[in-house]
Amino acid sequence: MSVVDKKYLETVRRQIAAYEAARREVIKLAGDALSASKRSIFALHRDDRDGAAALLAEAESGFARVRQAADKIPDLVQEGSYRAALEEYVEARLYQRFLDKGDIGEVTGRDIDYEIFLSGLSDLTGELQRRQVRLATEGRVEEVGRIKEAIEEVIDELTAMDLGGYLRNKFDQAKNNLRRAEDVLYEVTIRRK
């Protein structure tokens, strides 16, 4: 006589196997979506708006496929690779909006929570600072100042939230981007005189 309910444990084994197979698929899909989002940012740095839009659509398609898997196994939306891909996507969308409209606002998506949004927002400051350097080399001083002000406004908003943990690390990186943006503006202003 066995003390272990083997029939139940077989059910558990099947559940684990199904989860692991779905998890591997989510990791692959998320990796592809992250790559597409990252490449869209590079396209935006080259002022290739159409290319960036196509890459973001590619990322969205990958997210839709992750959601199909997550509808069957809800825990998959907490998979780190998926969350990282969503962060990169938010960063790309925010950068796209800033270039198109000159402002920063909401990025919608079923699994975009406040942590993903704030991480993407913090990372956006790095992309803005990179753009600022490019503008400085082109002698577009007014725009260099506008980007520094945008980064400063993001930092002011994040400061008011008293972030901790992972978001605090992201916030600290964003503050470093502000410092670099201030340095670039200072250098460009001094050289003009």
Side-chain angles (χ1 to χ4, degrees):
M1 174 178 151
S2 176
V3 225
V4 177
D5 183 346
K6 292 182 189 223
K7 185 176 177 183
Y8 175 71
L9 286 179
E10 183 55 37
T11 301
V12 170
R13 271 192 214 73
R14 280 194 303 274
Q15 288 172 336
I16 289 171
Y19 179 83
E20 286 304 316
R23 180 177 173 270
R24 284 190 296 276
E25 181 65 13
V26 164
I27 289 170
K28 185 208 174 303
L29 292 169
D32 292 345
L34 185 139
S35 175
S37 295
K38 192 173 288 290
R39 291 184 352 252
S40 76
I41 291 170
F42 296 147
L44 289 168
H45 281 304
R46 295 187 311 272
D47 291 325
D48 178 7
R49 306 285 171 89
D50 292 337
L55 287 162
L56 287 168
E58 183 181 319
E60 289 164 3
S61 173
F63 294 142
R65 291 177 61 203
V66 169
R67 281 305 318 164
Q68 288 174 342
D71 284 343
K72 295 175 191 154
I73 306 173
D75 289 348
L76 290 172
V77 297
Q78 296 306 316
E79 185 60 44
S81 58
Y82 179 52
R83 293 182 64 77
L86 286 170
E87 283 180 26
E88 194 71 27
Y89 173 79
V90 166
E91 178 184 356
R93 278 289 179 207
L94 289 170
Y95 189 43
Q96 180 188 47
R97 179 175 170 151
F98 181 81
L99 295 177
D100 289 348
K101 298 181 179 180
D103 66 5
I104 298 166
E106 181 182 15
V107 177
T108 58
R110 185 168 171 186
D111 297 319
I112 297 173
D113 58 26
Y114 76 89
E115 185 174 79
I116 288 169
F117 178 80
L118 292 176
S119 294
L121 179 61
S122 295
D123 290 345
L124 169 68
T125 62
E127 301 310 329
L128 292 175
Q129 202 277 314
R130 283 178 195 82
R131 181 162 187 84
Q132 185 197 39
V133 169
R134 178 179 156 202
L135 295 170
T137 61
E138 295 170 0
R140 295 161 65 182
V141 180
E142 225 174 88
E143 291 176 67
V144 169
R146 188 174 72 88
I147 286 182
K148 192 278 286 180
E149 289 170 6
I151 295 171
E152 192 169 50
E153 189 175 341
V154 168
I155 296 302
D156 286 347
E157 292 298 327
L158 293 173
T159 299
M161 293 183 198
D162 193 28
L163 303 170
Y166 177 69
L167 289 175
R168 179 60 193 216
N169 291 337
K170 290 288 191 174
F171 172 63
D172 289 342
Q173 292 168 8
K175 286 192 307 187
N176 286 331
N177 292 327
L178 174 59
R179 184 192 49 75
R180 286 193 292 274
E182 290 168 339
D183 290 346
V184 169
L185 181 58
Y186 174 77
E187 288 293 325
V188 169
T189 304
I190 292 297
R191 290 174 194 235
R192 280 182 75 188
K193 292 182 179 183

